[in-house]
């Protein structure tokens, strides 16, 4: 989620870096800083909070340089503070680093480097990188990076400068994006194209494992082993508005495609495969108190309520705590039986939803501890809670929630595992297995997105339909609700989500040859029952659109249309099933000529009752 910028050229570097960071504000951040090198050596400014705080510091204490790097931080290791803000420097104040990502083995490296005499002053994993380079530095920055970086484990995008090997910026990536803008006798480095699009449209994209040396004379790219890589700049044809959308037609589609990154960032820094543990550092409730909890209430509105319904399955299965799900708008009016023996979890993308805030305050008034799952740093809900699990989805512009939803599901599985390990209801090996499977989900979402054309074809066949029925069972039933909601929200088609087992208690009367039934078919303990429900639909001439797991041969005999998702464990299937349903709603809405990003009568955040 962090933002990186870098510049080397003839323009004034400080305003250019600050403006570049402003264009990356959408990524979210809790602190910011820049470092420049010039005639006066290295100069550094860092501030907690918004960029205006950094701008104020620069006005009071100006700095000058010929080139430099900048950063906006969303904390993973270490609380938001000026000390923990980037850029970070080595012991000698010569090597400077900005970093997006996480170094998984930083504690091991930190201990090793500390024994060699390196002095650490921050709580971050990034500082290790600066000291690692220093440890290998023999006069050439590029060679120091090549020697030291095989030691790093994790995901990272980096920009590095040094006072003792001047007039160059080293850029690298392994996971998070790095793009290089090629101008006329000037070069830009950034996490995303909007940071420099007003200066150049010629872009070089780095691949994983590639290292770029950027100087006033050009860009040289190679592998970490030193093999040369030929890179030709690509010409971007975006206008500024398209740049904000990264070339996508709508914000909603862009945000659907951002889900692998959003889920990955939500996991990052919180789950250790080596130790088989989940770390949620922003929950301040003592473990002994969590062990005494007897019941969990999960409270939310809209799409977040559907996430809460999935969360109920996660919490009950893993932590063995009974969980109840409430609408924020209903919670306080029914006099809920919350107290010191209960834990209340509120889920809100914005952190400002009026009904959810009212429920949070009602729970606290009655003595319940509250944990908030939220996407907005410092929002009202996060300030009034005993703990926060941030979803690092980044700003969501489209009114219909997509990446925020799957990030909430990711946060819920992490919270469920955390509660389970605190309460001793899951072993270290079991937790490690869940973490291993969760780490695979971003790639599996990418696999789903790669089959977007199949969903477009479905939309082409059904966009004139007036009614849909969505069916699911177990933790996938809330995804049926969410799929139906997405279709209603943006295409204005009537759609209902139903537990498949309840179909015969009413909705079956609606089924005929004109009624598409979207069936979510997971290979789980109720698979056979779901197949029976599909057969009931087919017996009444209904049209079955099945979303099933790869390798399911039985469904091929039953459904009219099938979309396969990759296989995963039961509690993670809702994340994968949500994505094609978002795409289906999107493509149907586009074909119907609807305003996808701003559907009628809806607002992004409902801040009034």
């Amino acid at each position: 989620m962090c933002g990186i910028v870098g510049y080397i050229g003839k323009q004034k570097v400080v305003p250019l870096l600050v403006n570049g960071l402003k264009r990356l504000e959408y990524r979210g951040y809790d602190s910011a800083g820049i470092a420049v090198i010039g005639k006066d050596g290295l100069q550094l400014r860092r501030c907690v909070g918004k960029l205006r705080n950094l701008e104020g510091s620069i006005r009071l204490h100006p700095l000058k340089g010929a080139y430099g790097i900048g950063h906006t931080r969303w904390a993973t290791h270490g609380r938001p503070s000026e000390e923990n803000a980037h850029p970070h420097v080595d012991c000698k104040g010569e090597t400077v680093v900005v970093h997006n990502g996480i170094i998984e083995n930083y504690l091991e490296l930190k201990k090793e480097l500390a024994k060699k005499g390196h002095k650490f002053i921050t709580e971050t994993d990034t500082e290790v990188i600066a000291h690692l380079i220093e440890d290998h530095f023999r006069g050439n920055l590029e060679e120091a990076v090549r020697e030291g970086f095989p030691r790093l484990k994790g995901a990272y995008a980096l920009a590095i400068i040094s006072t003792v090997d001047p007039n160059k910026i080293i850029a690298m990536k392994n996971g998070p994006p790095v793009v290089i803008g090629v101008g006329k006798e000037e070069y830009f480095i950034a996490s995303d194209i909007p940071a420099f699009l007003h200066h150049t449209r010629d872009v070089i994209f780095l691949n994983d494992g590639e290292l770029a040396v950027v100087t006033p004379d050009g860009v040289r790219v190679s592998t970490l082993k030193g093999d040369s890589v030929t890179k030709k700049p690509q010409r971007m044809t975006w206008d500024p508005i398209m740049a904000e959308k990264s070339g996508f037609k709508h914000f909603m589609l862009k945000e659907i495609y951002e889900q692998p990154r959003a889920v990955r960032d939500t996991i990052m820094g919180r789950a250790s495969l080596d130790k088989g543990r989940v770390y949620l550092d922003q929950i301040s409730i003592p473990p002994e108190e969590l062990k005494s909890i007897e019941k969990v209430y999960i409270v939310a509105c809209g799409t977040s309520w559907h996430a809460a319904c999935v969360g109920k399955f996660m919490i009950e299965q893993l932590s063995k705590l009974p969980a109840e799900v409430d609408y924020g708008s209903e919670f306080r009016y029914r006099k809920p039986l919350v107290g010191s023996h209960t834990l209340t979890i509120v889920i809100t993308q914005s952190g400002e939803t009026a009904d959810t805030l009212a429920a949070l305050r009602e729970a606290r008034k009655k003595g319940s501890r509250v944990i908030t799952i939220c996407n907005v740093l410092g929002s009202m809900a996060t300030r009034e809670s005993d703990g926060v699990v941030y979803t690092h989805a980044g700003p969501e512009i489209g009114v219909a929630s997509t990446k925020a939803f799957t990030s909430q599901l990711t946060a819920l599985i992490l919270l469920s595992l955390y509660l389970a390990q605190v309460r001793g209801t899951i072993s270290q090996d079991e937790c490690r297995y869940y973490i291993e499977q969760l780490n695979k989900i971003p790639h599996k979402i990418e696999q789903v997105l790669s089959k977007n054309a199949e969903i477009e074809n479905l939309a082409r066949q059904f966009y004139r339909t007036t009614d849909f029925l969505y069916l699911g069972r177990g933790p996938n039933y809330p995804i049926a609700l969410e799929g139906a909601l997405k279709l209603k929200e943006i295409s204005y088609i009537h759609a209902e989500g139903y537990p498949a087992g309840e179909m015969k208690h009413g909705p079956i009367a609606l089924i005929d040859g004109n009624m598409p039934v979207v069936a979510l078919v997971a290979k789980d303990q109720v698979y056979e029952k779901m197949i029976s429900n599909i057969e009931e639909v087919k017996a009444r001439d209904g049209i079955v659109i099945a979303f099933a797991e790869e390798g399911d041969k039985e469904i091929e005999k039953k459904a009219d249309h099938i979309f396969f998702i990759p296989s995963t464990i039961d509690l993670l299937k809702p994340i994968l099933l949500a994505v094609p349903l978002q795409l289906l709603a999107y493509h149907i809405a586009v074909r119907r000529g609807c305003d996808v990003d701003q559907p009628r009568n809806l607002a992004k955040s409902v801040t009034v009752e």
Side-chain angles (χ1 to χ4, degrees):
M1 279 308 301
C2 304
I4 289 173
V5 297
Y7 176 76
I8 189 164
K10 296 181 178 180
Q11 294 192 58
K12 291 183 178 179
V13 63
V14 173
L16 195 146
L17 292 175
V18 172
N19 287 332
L21 292 176
K22 284 181 179 179
R23 298 187 187 282
L24 297 178
E25 282 188 293
Y26 68 89
R27 298 174 71 86
Y29 62 97
D30 53 52
S31 56
I34 64 171
V36 296
I37 294 176
K39 294 178 180 178
D40 298 324
L42 171 67
Q43 296 187 339
L44 182 70
R45 297 287 182 275
R46 301 180 297 194
C47 284
V48 177
K50 297 297 181 183
L51 274 169
R52 60 175 173 267
N53 297 341
L54 178 63
E55 289 180 286
S57 174
I58 291 170
R59 280 194 298 271
L60 287 172
H61 307 285
L63 65 168
K64 292 182 180 180
Y67 64 102
I69 54 179
H71 189 270
T72 54
R73 177 180 190 248
W74 192 320
T76 52
H77 289 99
R79 67 194 186 284
S81 67
E82 183 175 331
E83 185 179 77
N84 288 330
H86 296 218
H88 288 297
V89 298
D90 63 356
C91 297
K92 299 174 183 176
E94 295 173 346
T95 299
V96 191
V97 177
V98 291
H99 169 218
N100 176 26
I102 187 165
I103 305 304
E104 294 170 359
N105 62 333
Y106 85 101
L107 285 176
E108 172 192 334
L109 292 171
K110 190 173 184 177
K111 289 177 184 177
E112 178 185 317
L113 290 165
K115 287 180 179 178
K116 292 183 175 182
H118 291 267
K119 304 295 183 184
F120 290 85
I121 59 173
T122 80
E123 303 167 300
T124 72
D125 57 332
T126 304
E127 191 184 4
V128 165
I129 301 171
H131 291 281
L132 186 64
I133 295 169
E134 179 185 21
D135 200 57
H136 288 84
F137 191 83
R138 304 291 183 272
N140 186 298
L141 182 61
E142 180 182 352
E143 290 307 313
V145 170
R146 291 192 194 285
E147 289 179 23
F149 272 55
R151 301 290 314 282
L152 297 180
K153 295 179 182 178
Y156 47 81
L158 295 159
I160 309 159
I161 56 178
S162 172
T163 58
V164 288
D165 190 4
N167 296 315
K168 68 173 65 168
I169 304 175
I170 304 290
M172 277 195 68
K173 81 176 289 289
N174 182 44
V178 175
V179 292
I180 299 171
V182 179
K184 188 176 181 179
E185 297 184 338
E186 61 180 1
Y187 300 91
F188 306 79
I189 296 166
S191 301
D192 206 351
I193 294 168
F196 55 70
L197 193 62
H198 286 69
H199 300 279
T200 181
R201 293 173 183 262
D202 294 323
V203 179
I204 292 172
F205 296 90
L206 288 190
N207 294 323
D208 284 351
E210 291 180 346
L211 178 152
V213 179
V214 186
T215 71
D217 299 320
V219 179
R220 178 168 48 84
V221 181
S222 59
T223 66
L224 194 56
K225 292 180 179 179
D227 298 327
S228 180
V229 177
T230 301
K231 291 278 186 178
K232 291 184 178 180
Q234 299 180 37
R235 184 75 174 175
M236 297 292 105
T237 58
W238 303 344
D239 59 30
I241 293 175
M242 284 182 70
E244 291 177 18
K245 297 178 183 177
S246 296
F248 289 99
K249 188 175 180 181
H250 298 96
F251 280 110
M252 182 181 177
L253 187 60
K254 171 180 178 282
E255 287 154 7
I256 289 172
Y257 272 82
E258 286 178 334
Q259 286 175 116
R261 191 273 309 155
V263 169
R264 190 177 288 115
D265 283 353
T266 300
I267 300 167
M268 197 176 289
R270 292 169 165 166
S272 170
L273 264 178
D274 290 341
K275 297 183 179 179
R277 291 188 65 82
V278 169
Y279 300 92
L280 299 178
D281 297 337
Q282 290 173 305
I283 292 178
S284 58
I285 304 170
E288 290 305 315
E289 196 171 330
L290 288 175
K291 288 179 184 178
S292 68
I293 294 296
E294 298 173 6
K295 188 174 183 179
V296 174
Y297 286 83
I298 317 175
V299 184
C301 299
T303 285
S304 296
W305 186 83
H306 296 153
C309 291
V310 179
K312 170 184 168 69
F313 287 89
M314 295 173 172
I315 288 169
E316 289 187 343
Q317 183 171 320
L318 294 172
S319 73
K320 313 304 181 189
L321 278 168
E324 189 170 321
V325 180
D326 264 283
Y327 285 107
S329 56
E330 296 288 335
F331 184 74
R332 62 182 170 141
Y333 295 114
R334 72 173 185 83
K335 299 180 180 178
L337 300 176
V338 296
S340 58
H341 61 289
T342 63
L343 172 67
T344 302
I345 300 169
V346 300
I347 308 175
T348 164
Q349 189 282 138
S350 67
E352 306 290 345
T353 306
D355 288 324
T356 305
L357 285 172
L360 184 159
R361 290 160 182 160
E362 179 73 9
R364 285 186 65 87
K365 187 171 72 174
K366 293 190 172 184
S368 175
R369 289 286 204 166
V370 177
I371 293 173
T372 290
I373 294 175
C374 185
N375 194 41
V376 179
L377 192 80
S379 59
M380 186 68 71
T382 66
R383 296 199 303 270
E384 296 187 15
S385 298
D386 299 295
V388 183
V389 183
Y390 282 109
T391 55
H392 295 318
E396 192 174 60
I397 308 302
V399 167
S401 182
T402 53
K403 63 177 180 175
F405 177 66
T406 48
S407 296
Q408 287 169 352
L409 295 179
T410 304
L412 279 162
I413 191 72
L414 289 169
L415 179 56
S416 301
L417 290 168
Y418 177 79
L419 291 173
Q421 73 187 25
V422 168
R423 295 173 58 80
T425 58
I426 191 171
S427 71
Q428 185 179 25
D429 286 342
E430 287 172 321
C431 190
R432 182 180 290 111
Y433 175 70
Y434 275 96
I435 293 168
E436 183 180 23
Q437 297 303 311
L438 183 58
N439 283 338
K440 294 177 181 178
I441 290 297
H443 176 63
K444 291 183 178 183
I445 297 175
E446 290 169 350
Q447 290 177 278
V448 172
L449 293 170
S450 72
K451 300 196 291 183
N452 177 47
E454 293 181 32
I455 301 295
E456 280 191 272
N457 185 50
L458 280 175
R460 192 177 299 113
Q461 297 178 64
F462 291 104
Y463 75 97
R464 291 190 180 93
T465 304
T466 56
D467 301 276
F468 273 78
L469 183 63
Y470 286 66
L471 300 177
R473 281 182 174 268
N476 300 317
Y477 157 56
I479 304 304
L481 294 175
E482 173 63 11
L485 176 62
K486 282 292 154 285
L487 192 65
K488 282 184 281 194
E489 282 182 311
I490 64 172
S491 76
Y492 317 138
I493 292 174
H494 172 254
E496 283 190 63
Y498 242 82
E502 291 295 303
M503 180 182 62
K504 63 178 69 71
H505 296 285
I508 200 167
L510 298 171
I511 294 173
D512 59 20
N514 298 313
M515 168 71 83
V517 177
V518 174
L520 307 183
V521 190
K523 292 285 276 185
D524 53 21
Q525 61 182 353
V526 291
Y527 173 76
E528 296 298 336
K529 294 185 181 297
M530 194 70 202
I531 292 294
S532 296
N533 296 138
I534 289 172
E535 289 172 339
E536 290 170 343
V537 173
K538 291 303 297 176
R540 288 152 182 85
D541 297 324
I543 305 163
V544 176
I545 305 171
F547 289 82
E549 290 184 65
E550 291 172 347
D552 186 346
K553 300 298 183 183
E554 184 69 18
I555 195 66
E556 294 178 354
K557 307 171 188 175
K558 309 291 184 183
D560 299 284
H561 307 273
I562 308 169
F563 183 93
F564 289 110
I565 65 165
S567 292
T568 186
I569 57 177
D570 289 354
L571 288 180
L572 299 181
K573 288 171 186 174
I575 301 176
L576 296 182
L577 284 167
V579 177
L581 298 188
Q582 295 166 355
L583 286 169
L584 181 63
Y586 170 80
H587 288 302
I588 286 176
V590 169
R591 285 200 161 267
R592 290 168 66 89
C594 300
D595 188 341
V596 171
D597 286 333
Q598 295 182 312
R600 68 190 182 205
N601 304 330
L602 294 176
K604 184 63 186 173
S605 298
V606 182
T607 55
V608 295
E609 271 199 85

